[in-house]
Amino acid sequence: MNNATIAAVFHDPGSPIEFREVALPALRGSEILVEVVACTLCGSDLHSLHGRRSVPTPTILGHEILGRIAEFGPKASRRDERGRPLSVGDRVTWGVVASCGDCFYCRRRLPQKCERGTKYGHEPVRPDRELTGGLAGYCVLVPGSAIFLVPDHLSDAVACPANCATATVASAMDAAGPLAGARVLVMGAGMLGLTATAWARSLGAEAVIACDADPARLTPTESFGASRSASPEAVAEAVLDCTEGYGVDVAFELTGAPDAIEAALPLVRVGGVLILIGSVCPTRAVPVVPEQIVRRCLTVRGIHNYRPRDLEAALDFLGSASSFPFDSLVSEWQPLSALESIRRDRATHDKRRIGIRPGG
């Protein structure tokens, strides 16, 4: 193993990516060093690269990461979150937030909001802790990381988004409640939207209506289980037609666009549930009439990141979802050196996932 690695350091949207050599640290306590096998660029990474989302800088972005264990710290556990043995060379994924387990939020079952947490791909570069993002050759897993072995039969393209996109959808599915026989609306047909569509169908949803403003993004929705797709202009008619005029039992909003939220809310039936997932960047305010929430007995839930059990559920889902073409959602694999051209190319946001091979 080398004593140093190359990391892509992001400073701000107007500055070139800095490709910096970083020394591999001497591991302390329960830390684990992993060699980054693959890192897919999440929508939030692209928001940061293109200046639509603030992030502490300088930083090493990338949180949808697969790695192979390179070295264990002196006190590191040799077991994953499920109790399975871990060895050097094992392919693993881990939760986006390493949590302390004992702060106000951890005690209230919100470890993703840990007050002392480390959020991979979101931390500022510090002399004592530099390798915390996936856009580098190696990443250091700190105490409190929920680590999971990745089954051999899951390709890198399928497994890499698990510890953000798929696990976030897992949390949303848990919040939605039972979906057997339900009529479901999915606003947004990106990576999360297609995952939510496939998962809802796997859970027995009677109908899933996929909506997106881009006709090209609606093309694969049928392959992921959508019973119907619609543009924003036609979605109300599609919902009313599929639900005998009652509205959907559950709506998942994954775009974060205020117009989409405003369109989804009246399409939820009395007693239904609206799950908000996509609103991770500042936008204009969305007008809500509280009387409508009350009289229609609506539940509105926000989902941001996830718990370790959601990543576990995500891996289980992907392991049983071979009938859906998840392999196709990573449009291309690029070396780390391609990040500068990706930063300059605003069209990359239209792709569901671009994969980076830091060692390639």
Short mmCIF file of all heavy atoms in Angstrom, two decimals, residues 198-267:
data_model
loop_
_atom_site.label_atom_id
_atom_site.label_comp_id
_atom_site.label_asym_id
_atom_site.label_seq_id
_atom_site.Cartn_x
_atom_site.Cartn_y
_atom_site.Cartn_z
N ALA A 198 -39.75 1.66 -8.11
CA ALA A 198 -39.50 0.22 -8.05
C ALA A 198 -39.81 -0.34 -6.67
O ALA A 198 -40.40 -1.43 -6.54
CB ALA A 198 -38.05 -0.07 -8.44
N TRP A 199 -39.43 0.38 -5.63
CA TRP A 199 -39.62 -0.12 -4.26
C TRP A 199 -41.11 -0.17 -3.93
O TRP A 199 -41.59 -1.14 -3.32
CB TRP A 199 -38.88 0.76 -3.28
CG TRP A 199 -38.50 0.07 -2.00
CD1 TRP A 199 -39.25 -0.84 -1.30
CD2 TRP A 199 -37.29 0.22 -1.25
NE1 TRP A 199 -38.58 -1.25 -0.18
CE2 TRP A 199 -37.39 -0.62 -0.13
CE3 TRP A 199 -36.16 0.99 -1.43
CZ2 TRP A 199 -36.37 -0.70 0.83
CZ3 TRP A 199 -35.15 0.92 -0.49
CH2 TRP A 199 -35.25 0.08 0.62
N ALA A 200 -41.84 0.87 -4.32
CA ALA A 200 -43.28 0.87 -4.04
C ALA A 200 -43.97 -0.31 -4.71
O ALA A 200 -44.82 -0.98 -4.12
CB ALA A 200 -43.90 2.19 -4.49
N ARG A 201 -43.58 -0.59 -5.95
CA ARG A 201 -44.16 -1.74 -6.64
C ARG A 201 -43.77 -3.04 -5.96
O ARG A 201 -44.59 -3.97 -5.84
CB ARG A 201 -43.73 -1.74 -8.10
CG ARG A 201 -44.37 -0.66 -8.91
CD ARG A 201 -45.87 -0.83 -9.05
NE ARG A 201 -46.20 -1.57 -10.26
CZ ARG A 201 -47.42 -1.75 -10.71
NH1 ARG A 201 -48.46 -1.27 -10.04
NH2 ARG A 201 -47.64 -2.42 -11.81
N SER A 202 -42.53 -3.11 -5.49
CA SER A 202 -42.08 -4.32 -4.79
C SER A 202 -42.85 -4.56 -3.50
O SER A 202 -43.01 -5.70 -3.07
CB SER A 202 -40.58 -4.23 -4.49
OG SER A 202 -39.82 -4.15 -5.67
N LEU A 203 -43.31 -3.48 -2.90
CA LEU A 203 -44.09 -3.58 -1.67
C LEU A 203 -45.58 -3.80 -1.92
O LEU A 203 -46.37 -3.82 -0.99
CB LEU A 203 -43.89 -2.32 -0.82
CG LEU A 203 -42.49 -2.13 -0.23
CD1 LEU A 203 -42.38 -0.79 0.47
CD2 LEU A 203 -42.13 -3.26 0.73
N GLY A 204 -45.95 -3.95 -3.18
CA GLY A 204 -47.32 -4.29 -3.50
C GLY A 204 -48.23 -3.15 -3.85
O GLY A 204 -49.46 -3.30 -3.85
N ALA A 205 -47.66 -1.98 -4.18
CA ALA A 205 -48.50 -0.86 -4.58
C ALA A 205 -49.33 -1.25 -5.81
O ALA A 205 -48.81 -1.83 -6.76
CB ALA A 205 -47.66 0.37 -4.88
N GLU A 206 -50.61 -0.91 -5.79
CA GLU A 206 -51.49 -1.25 -6.90
C GLU A 206 -51.17 -0.43 -8.14
O GLU A 206 -51.24 -0.92 -9.26
CB GLU A 206 -52.94 -0.99 -6.48
CG GLU A 206 -53.96 -1.26 -7.57
CD GLU A 206 -55.37 -0.94 -7.11
OE1 GLU A 206 -55.71 -1.31 -5.96
OE2 GLU A 206 -56.11 -0.32 -7.88
N ALA A 207 -50.81 0.83 -7.95
CA ALA A 207 -50.47 1.71 -9.06
C ALA A 207 -49.42 2.70 -8.61
O ALA A 207 -49.44 3.17 -7.47
CB ALA A 207 -51.71 2.46 -9.56
N VAL A 208 -48.47 3.00 -9.49
CA VAL A 208 -47.47 4.02 -9.23
C VAL A 208 -47.46 4.96 -10.43
O VAL A 208 -47.21 4.53 -11.57
CB VAL A 208 -46.06 3.44 -9.01
CG1 VAL A 208 -45.06 4.56 -8.76
CG2 VAL A 208 -46.05 2.46 -7.84
N ILE A 209 -47.73 6.23 -10.18
CA ILE A 209 -47.74 7.25 -11.23
C ILE A 209 -46.45 8.05 -11.10
O ILE A 209 -46.18 8.63 -10.04
CB ILE A 209 -48.96 8.18 -11.08
CG1 ILE A 209 -50.25 7.35 -11.09
CG2 ILE A 209 -48.97 9.23 -12.18
CD1 ILE A 209 -51.35 7.95 -10.29
N ALA A 210 -45.66 8.06 -12.15
CA ALA A 210 -44.39 8.80 -12.16
C ALA A 210 -44.58 10.11 -12.91
O ALA A 210 -45.17 10.13 -13.99
CB ALA A 210 -43.29 7.97 -12.82
N CYS A 211 -44.07 11.18 -12.33
CA CYS A 211 -44.21 12.50 -12.95
C CYS A 211 -42.85 13.18 -13.04
O CYS A 211 -42.07 13.14 -12.08
CB CYS A 211 -45.17 13.37 -12.13
SG CYS A 211 -45.34 15.06 -12.74
N ASP A 212 -42.57 13.77 -14.20
CA ASP A 212 -41.34 14.55 -14.36
C ASP A 212 -41.56 15.56 -15.47
O ASP A 212 -42.30 15.29 -16.43
CB ASP A 212 -40.15 13.64 -14.69
CG ASP A 212 -38.82 14.31 -14.38
OD1 ASP A 212 -38.40 15.21 -15.14
OD2 ASP A 212 -38.20 13.95 -13.36
N ALA A 213 -40.90 16.70 -15.35
CA ALA A 213 -41.03 17.74 -16.38
C ALA A 213 -40.25 17.41 -17.64
O ALA A 213 -40.52 17.98 -18.70
CB ALA A 213 -40.56 19.08 -15.81
N ASP A 214 -39.27 16.51 -17.53
CA ASP A 214 -38.44 16.13 -18.67
C ASP A 214 -38.96 14.83 -19.26
O ASP A 214 -38.86 13.78 -18.63
CB ASP A 214 -36.99 15.96 -18.21
CG ASP A 214 -36.03 15.64 -19.35
OD1 ASP A 214 -36.50 15.38 -20.47
OD2 ASP A 214 -34.81 15.64 -19.10
N PRO A 215 -39.49 14.86 -20.49
CA PRO A 215 -40.03 13.63 -21.08
C PRO A 215 -39.00 12.51 -21.17
O PRO A 215 -39.36 11.33 -21.02
CB PRO A 215 -40.48 14.08 -22.48
CG PRO A 215 -40.69 15.55 -22.37
CD PRO A 215 -39.68 16.03 -21.37
N ALA A 216 -37.73 12.85 -21.37
CA ALA A 216 -36.69 11.83 -21.48
C ALA A 216 -36.53 11.07 -20.17
O ALA A 216 -36.21 9.87 -20.17
CB ALA A 216 -35.36 12.46 -21.90
N ARG A 217 -36.75 11.74 -19.05
CA ARG A 217 -36.60 11.07 -17.75
C ARG A 217 -37.76 10.14 -17.45
O ARG A 217 -37.64 9.25 -16.61
CB ARG A 217 -36.44 12.12 -16.64
CG ARG A 217 -35.11 12.85 -16.72
CD ARG A 217 -35.08 14.05 -15.81
NE ARG A 217 -34.82 13.72 -14.43
CZ ARG A 217 -33.60 13.61 -13.89
NH1 ARG A 217 -32.52 13.75 -14.63
NH2 ARG A 217 -33.45 13.34 -12.61
N LEU A 218 -38.88 10.35 -18.15
CA LEU A 218 -40.02 9.46 -17.95
C LEU A 218 -39.89 8.16 -18.75
O LEU A 218 -40.56 7.18 -18.45
CB LEU A 218 -41.31 10.17 -18.37
CG LEU A 218 -41.78 11.31 -17.46
CD1 LEU A 218 -42.99 12.00 -18.07
CD2 LEU A 218 -42.09 10.81 -16.06
N THR A 219 -39.01 8.15 -19.75
CA THR A 219 -38.90 6.99 -20.64
C THR A 219 -38.66 5.68 -19.89
O THR A 219 -39.33 4.68 -20.16
CB THR A 219 -37.81 7.23 -21.69
OG1 THR A 219 -38.13 8.40 -22.44
CG2 THR A 219 -37.69 6.03 -22.64
N PRO A 220 -37.72 5.62 -18.93
CA PRO A 220 -37.46 4.33 -18.26
C PRO A 220 -38.39 4.01 -17.10
O PRO A 220 -38.24 2.95 -16.48
CB PRO A 220 -36.03 4.50 -17.76
CG PRO A 220 -35.89 5.95 -17.47
CD PRO A 220 -36.76 6.65 -18.50
N THR A 221 -39.35 4.86 -16.78
CA THR A 221 -40.14 4.64 -15.57
C THR A 221 -40.92 3.33 -15.62
O THR A 221 -41.09 2.67 -14.59
CB THR A 221 -41.10 5.81 -15.30
OG1 THR A 221 -41.93 6.01 -16.46
CG2 THR A 221 -40.33 7.09 -15.00
N GLU A 222 -41.39 2.95 -16.80
CA GLU A 222 -42.12 1.69 -16.90
C GLU A 222 -41.25 0.51 -16.52
O GLU A 222 -41.71 -0.45 -15.88
CB GLU A 222 -42.67 1.51 -18.31
CG GLU A 222 -43.55 0.27 -18.48
CD GLU A 222 -44.16 0.15 -19.86
OE1 GLU A 222 -43.98 1.08 -20.68
OE2 GLU A 222 -44.80 -0.88 -20.14
N SER A 223 -39.96 0.57 -16.90
CA SER A 223 -39.03 -0.51 -16.55
C SER A 223 -38.81 -0.62 -15.06
O SER A 223 -38.39 -1.66 -14.56
CB SER A 223 -37.68 -0.29 -17.25
OG SER A 223 -37.83 -0.28 -18.65
N PHE A 224 -39.09 0.47 -14.34
CA PHE A 224 -38.94 0.48 -12.88
C PHE A 224 -40.28 0.33 -12.16
O PHE A 224 -40.36 0.59 -10.96
CB PHE A 224 -38.21 1.75 -12.44
CG PHE A 224 -36.74 1.70 -12.72
CD1 PHE A 224 -36.24 2.08 -13.96
CD2 PHE A 224 -35.84 1.23 -11.77
CE1 PHE A 224 -34.88 2.02 -14.24
CE2 PHE A 224 -34.48 1.16 -12.04
CZ PHE A 224 -34.00 1.56 -13.27
N GLY A 225 -41.31 -0.08 -12.89
CA GLY A 225 -42.55 -0.44 -12.24
C GLY A 225 -43.67 0.57 -12.33
O GLY A 225 -44.76 0.33 -11.77
N ALA A 226 -43.45 1.71 -12.99
CA ALA A 226 -44.52 2.70 -13.07
C ALA A 226 -45.68 2.14 -13.90
O ALA A 226 -45.47 1.58 -14.97
CB ALA A 226 -44.01 3.99 -13.68
N SER A 227 -46.88 2.31 -13.39
CA SER A 227 -48.06 1.90 -14.14
C SER A 227 -48.52 3.00 -15.08
O SER A 227 -49.27 2.75 -16.03
CB SER A 227 -49.19 1.51 -13.19
OG SER A 227 -49.37 2.50 -12.20
N ARG A 228 -48.04 4.22 -14.81
CA ARG A 228 -48.40 5.35 -15.66
C ARG A 228 -47.38 6.45 -15.44
O ARG A 228 -46.84 6.59 -14.34
CB ARG A 228 -49.81 5.85 -15.31
CG ARG A 228 -50.38 6.88 -16.27
CD ARG A 228 -51.88 6.92 -16.13
NE ARG A 228 -52.47 7.96 -16.94
CZ ARG A 228 -53.79 8.09 -17.12
NH1 ARG A 228 -54.62 7.25 -16.53
NH2 ARG A 228 -54.27 9.07 -17.86
N SER A 229 -47.12 7.24 -16.48
CA SER A 229 -46.24 8.40 -16.34
C SER A 229 -46.96 9.62 -16.88
O SER A 229 -47.86 9.51 -17.73
CB SER A 229 -44.92 8.18 -17.07
OG SER A 229 -45.13 8.02 -18.46
N ALA A 230 -46.56 10.78 -16.39
CA ALA A 230 -47.25 12.00 -16.78
C ALA A 230 -46.35 13.21 -16.62
O ALA A 230 -45.48 13.24 -15.74
CB ALA A 230 -48.53 12.19 -15.94
N SER A 231 -46.58 14.21 -17.45
CA SER A 231 -45.93 15.50 -17.29
C SER A 231 -46.60 16.25 -16.15
O SER A 231 -47.71 15.89 -15.72
CB SER A 231 -46.06 16.31 -18.58
OG SER A 231 -47.43 16.64 -18.79
N PRO A 232 -45.98 17.32 -15.64
CA PRO A 232 -46.65 18.10 -14.59
C PRO A 232 -48.01 18.64 -15.03
O PRO A 232 -48.93 18.74 -14.20
CB PRO A 232 -45.65 19.24 -14.32
CG PRO A 232 -44.32 18.67 -14.68
CD PRO A 232 -44.58 17.77 -15.85
N GLU A 233 -48.14 18.95 -16.31
CA GLU A 233 -49.40 19.48 -16.80
C GLU A 233 -50.50 18.42 -16.81
O GLU A 233 -51.69 18.76 -16.71
CB GLU A 233 -49.22 20.04 -18.22
CG GLU A 233 -48.30 21.24 -18.31
CD GLU A 233 -46.83 20.89 -18.19
OE1 GLU A 233 -46.46 19.71 -18.42
OE2 GLU A 233 -46.04 21.80 -17.84
N ALA A 234 -50.12 17.15 -16.95
CA ALA A 234 -51.11 16.08 -17.06
C ALA A 234 -51.23 15.23 -15.81
O ALA A 234 -52.04 14.29 -15.77
CB ALA A 234 -50.75 15.19 -18.26
N VAL A 235 -50.46 15.53 -14.77
CA VAL A 235 -50.40 14.62 -13.63
C VAL A 235 -51.72 14.59 -12.85
O VAL A 235 -52.15 13.53 -12.35
CB VAL A 235 -49.21 14.94 -12.71
CG1 VAL A 235 -49.40 16.28 -11.99
CG2 VAL A 235 -48.99 13.82 -11.70
N ALA A 236 -52.38 15.72 -12.73
CA ALA A 236 -53.64 15.73 -11.97
C ALA A 236 -54.67 14.82 -12.63
O ALA A 236 -55.35 14.03 -11.95
CB ALA A 236 -54.17 17.16 -11.86
N GLU A 237 -54.78 14.90 -13.93
CA GLU A 237 -55.72 14.03 -14.65
C GLU A 237 -55.35 12.57 -14.48
O GLU A 237 -56.22 11.71 -14.28
CB GLU A 237 -55.74 14.40 -16.13
CG GLU A 237 -56.71 13.57 -16.96
CD GLU A 237 -56.68 13.93 -18.43
OE1 GLU A 237 -56.01 14.92 -18.80
OE2 GLU A 237 -57.32 13.21 -19.22
N ALA A 238 -54.04 12.27 -14.56
CA ALA A 238 -53.60 10.88 -14.41
C ALA A 238 -53.93 10.34 -13.02
O ALA A 238 -54.38 9.20 -12.86
CB ALA A 238 -52.09 10.79 -14.66
N VAL A 239 -53.71 11.15 -11.99
CA VAL A 239 -53.99 10.72 -10.62
C VAL A 239 -55.48 10.49 -10.43
O VAL A 239 -55.91 9.46 -9.89
CB VAL A 239 -53.46 11.75 -9.60
CG1 VAL A 239 -54.04 11.49 -8.21
CG2 VAL A 239 -51.95 11.71 -9.55
N LEU A 240 -56.29 11.41 -10.87
CA LEU A 240 -57.73 11.26 -10.69
C LEU A 240 -58.25 10.05 -11.44
O LEU A 240 -59.14 9.32 -10.96
CB LEU A 240 -58.44 12.53 -11.15
CG LEU A 240 -58.13 13.79 -10.31
CD1 LEU A 240 -58.83 15.01 -10.90
CD2 LEU A 240 -58.53 13.60 -8.86
N ASP A 241 -57.68 9.79 -12.62
CA ASP A 241 -58.10 8.64 -13.41
C ASP A 241 -57.73 7.32 -12.73
O ASP A 241 -58.49 6.35 -12.76
CB ASP A 241 -57.47 8.73 -14.79
CG ASP A 241 -57.95 7.62 -15.72
OD1 ASP A 241 -59.16 7.42 -15.84
OD2 ASP A 241 -57.08 6.95 -16.33
N CYS A 242 -56.55 7.29 -12.09
CA CYS A 242 -56.05 6.05 -11.47
C CYS A 242 -56.62 5.81 -10.08
O CYS A 242 -56.45 4.73 -9.52
CB CYS A 242 -54.52 6.08 -11.38
SG CYS A 242 -53.68 5.90 -12.96
N THR A 243 -57.27 6.82 -9.52
CA THR A 243 -57.74 6.69 -8.13
C THR A 243 -59.24 6.92 -7.98
O THR A 243 -59.72 7.16 -6.87
CB THR A 243 -56.99 7.69 -7.23
OG1 THR A 243 -57.32 9.02 -7.62
CG2 THR A 243 -55.48 7.49 -7.30
N GLU A 244 -59.99 6.82 -9.08
CA GLU A 244 -61.43 7.06 -9.08
C GLU A 244 -61.78 8.42 -8.48
O GLU A 244 -62.83 8.60 -7.85
CB GLU A 244 -62.19 5.96 -8.30
CG GLU A 244 -62.02 4.56 -8.85
CD GLU A 244 -60.75 3.88 -8.36
OE1 GLU A 244 -60.46 3.95 -7.15
OE2 GLU A 244 -60.05 3.29 -9.20
N GLY A 245 -60.88 9.37 -8.66
CA GLY A 245 -61.13 10.72 -8.20
C GLY A 245 -60.77 11.01 -6.76
O GLY A 245 -60.87 12.15 -6.31
N TYR A 246 -60.31 10.00 -6.00
CA TYR A 246 -60.02 10.20 -4.58
C TYR A 246 -58.66 10.84 -4.31
O TYR A 246 -58.48 11.53 -3.32
CB TYR A 246 -60.10 8.87 -3.83
CG TYR A 246 -61.51 8.37 -3.63
CD1 TYR A 246 -62.04 7.38 -4.44
CD2 TYR A 246 -62.32 8.90 -2.63
CE1 TYR A 246 -63.33 6.92 -4.26
CE2 TYR A 246 -63.62 8.45 -2.43
CZ TYR A 246 -64.12 7.46 -3.27
OH TYR A 246 -65.41 7.02 -3.09
N GLY A 247 -57.68 10.57 -5.16
CA GLY A 247 -56.31 11.00 -4.90
C GLY A 247 -55.46 9.84 -4.40
O GLY A 247 -55.98 8.79 -4.00
N VAL A 248 -54.17 10.04 -4.41
CA VAL A 248 -53.25 8.96 -4.05
C VAL A 248 -53.16 8.78 -2.54
O VAL A 248 -53.39 9.72 -1.76
CB VAL A 248 -51.84 9.21 -4.62
CG1 VAL A 248 -51.86 9.15 -6.15
CG2 VAL A 248 -51.25 10.53 -4.14
N ASP A 249 -52.83 7.56 -2.15
CA ASP A 249 -52.63 7.27 -0.73
C ASP A 249 -51.34 7.91 -0.22
O ASP A 249 -51.28 8.42 0.90
CB ASP A 249 -52.56 5.76 -0.51
CG ASP A 249 -53.82 5.06 -0.97
OD1 ASP A 249 -54.86 5.25 -0.33
OD2 ASP A 249 -53.76 4.33 -1.99
N VAL A 250 -50.30 7.86 -1.07
CA VAL A 250 -48.99 8.40 -0.70
C VAL A 250 -48.40 9.12 -1.90
O VAL A 250 -48.44 8.61 -3.03
CB VAL A 250 -48.02 7.29 -0.25
CG1 VAL A 250 -46.66 7.88 0.13
CG2 VAL A 250 -48.60 6.51 0.92
N ALA A 251 -47.83 10.29 -1.66
CA ALA A 251 -47.05 11.00 -2.68
C ALA A 251 -45.63 11.19 -2.17
O ALA A 251 -45.44 11.63 -1.02
CB ALA A 251 -47.68 12.35 -3.01
N PHE A 252 -44.67 10.85 -3.00
CA PHE A 252 -43.25 11.08 -2.70
C PHE A 252 -42.79 12.24 -3.58
O PHE A 252 -42.85 12.16 -4.81
CB PHE A 252 -42.41 9.84 -3.00
CG PHE A 252 -42.74 8.63 -2.16
CD1 PHE A 252 -43.56 7.63 -2.64
CD2 PHE A 252 -42.23 8.51 -0.88
CE1 PHE A 252 -43.86 6.52 -1.89
CE2 PHE A 252 -42.53 7.39 -0.10
CZ PHE A 252 -43.35 6.39 -0.61
N GLU A 253 -42.31 13.31 -2.95
CA GLU A 253 -41.83 14.46 -3.71
C GLU A 253 -40.31 14.46 -3.65
O GLU A 253 -39.72 14.65 -2.60
CB GLU A 253 -42.39 15.76 -3.13
CG GLU A 253 -42.42 16.92 -4.12
CD GLU A 253 -41.07 17.28 -4.68
OE1 GLU A 253 -40.19 17.66 -3.89
OE2 GLU A 253 -40.88 17.17 -5.92
N LEU A 254 -39.67 14.26 -4.81
CA LEU A 254 -38.22 14.05 -4.84
C LEU A 254 -37.47 15.11 -5.63
O LEU A 254 -36.25 15.02 -5.76
CB LEU A 254 -37.93 12.66 -5.44
CG LEU A 254 -38.55 11.53 -4.63
CD1 LEU A 254 -39.36 10.60 -5.52
CD2 LEU A 254 -37.49 10.75 -3.89
N THR A 255 -38.15 16.12 -6.14
CA THR A 255 -37.47 17.13 -6.95
C THR A 255 -37.01 18.31 -6.13
O THR A 255 -36.02 18.95 -6.46
CB THR A 255 -38.39 17.64 -8.07
OG1 THR A 255 -39.42 18.47 -7.50
CG2 THR A 255 -39.04 16.50 -8.84
N GLY A 256 -37.75 18.64 -5.08
CA GLY A 256 -37.45 19.84 -4.32
C GLY A 256 -37.97 21.11 -4.95
O GLY A 256 -37.81 22.20 -4.39
N ALA A 257 -38.61 21.01 -6.11
CA ALA A 257 -39.13 22.18 -6.80
C ALA A 257 -40.43 22.63 -6.14
O ALA A 257 -41.35 21.82 -5.95
CB ALA A 257 -39.38 21.86 -8.27
N PRO A 258 -40.55 23.90 -5.77
CA PRO A 258 -41.79 24.36 -5.13
C PRO A 258 -43.03 24.07 -5.97
O PRO A 258 -44.09 23.72 -5.43
CB PRO A 258 -41.56 25.87 -4.98
CG PRO A 258 -40.07 26.01 -4.89
CD PRO A 258 -39.52 24.97 -5.81
N ASP A 259 -42.92 24.19 -7.29
CA ASP A 259 -44.08 23.90 -8.15
C ASP A 259 -44.53 22.45 -8.00
O ASP A 259 -45.73 22.16 -8.03
CB ASP A 259 -43.73 24.17 -9.62
CG ASP A 259 -43.60 25.66 -9.92
OD1 ASP A 259 -43.97 26.48 -9.07
OD2 ASP A 259 -43.12 26.00 -11.02
N ALA A 260 -43.57 21.55 -7.85
CA ALA A 260 -43.92 20.13 -7.71
C ALA A 260 -44.60 19.86 -6.38
O ALA A 260 -45.54 19.06 -6.30
CB ALA A 260 -42.67 19.27 -7.86
N ILE A 261 -44.14 20.51 -5.33
CA ILE A 261 -44.77 20.34 -4.02
C ILE A 261 -46.21 20.86 -4.06
O ILE A 261 -47.15 20.24 -3.57
CB ILE A 261 -43.95 21.06 -2.93
CG1 ILE A 261 -42.55 20.45 -2.84
CG2 ILE A 261 -44.67 20.98 -1.58
CD1 ILE A 261 -41.59 21.24 -1.99
N GLU A 262 -46.36 22.03 -4.69
CA GLU A 262 -47.70 22.62 -4.80
C GLU A 262 -48.64 21.74 -5.62
O GLU A 262 -49.83 21.66 -5.34
CB GLU A 262 -47.59 24.01 -5.41
CG GLU A 262 -46.94 25.02 -4.49
CD GLU A 262 -46.56 26.31 -5.19
OE1 GLU A 262 -46.82 26.45 -6.40
OE2 GLU A 262 -46.00 27.18 -4.51
N ALA A 263 -48.09 21.07 -6.64
CA ALA A 263 -48.91 20.19 -7.48
C ALA A 263 -49.28 18.91 -6.74
O ALA A 263 -50.38 18.38 -6.91
CB ALA A 263 -48.16 19.85 -8.77
N ALA A 264 -48.35 18.40 -5.91
CA ALA A 264 -48.57 17.11 -5.25
C ALA A 264 -49.59 17.20 -4.12
O ALA A 264 -50.41 16.30 -3.93
CB ALA A 264 -47.25 16.56 -4.72
N LEU A 265 -49.56 18.28 -3.36
CA LEU A 265 -50.38 18.36 -2.14
C LEU A 265 -51.88 18.14 -2.40
O LEU A 265 -52.51 17.34 -1.70
CB LEU A 265 -50.13 19.69 -1.45
CG LEU A 265 -50.67 19.85 -0.03
CD1 LEU A 265 -50.16 18.75 0.89
CD2 LEU A 265 -50.28 21.21 0.53
N PRO A 266 -52.48 18.77 -3.40
CA PRO A 266 -53.92 18.54 -3.61
C PRO A 266 -54.24 17.18 -4.22
O PRO A 266 -55.42 16.80 -4.28
CB PRO A 266 -54.33 19.67 -4.56
CG PRO A 266 -53.09 20.08 -5.23
CD PRO A 266 -51.98 19.85 -4.26
N LEU A 267 -53.22 16.43 -4.64
CA LEU A 267 -53.46 15.12 -5.26
C LEU A 267 -53.42 13.98 -4.25
O LEU A 267 -53.61 12.82 -4.61
CB LEU A 267 -52.43 14.88 -6.37
CG LEU A 267 -52.48 15.88 -7.53
CD1 LEU A 267 -51.39 15.57 -8.55
CD2 LEU A 267 -53.85 15.91 -8.19
#
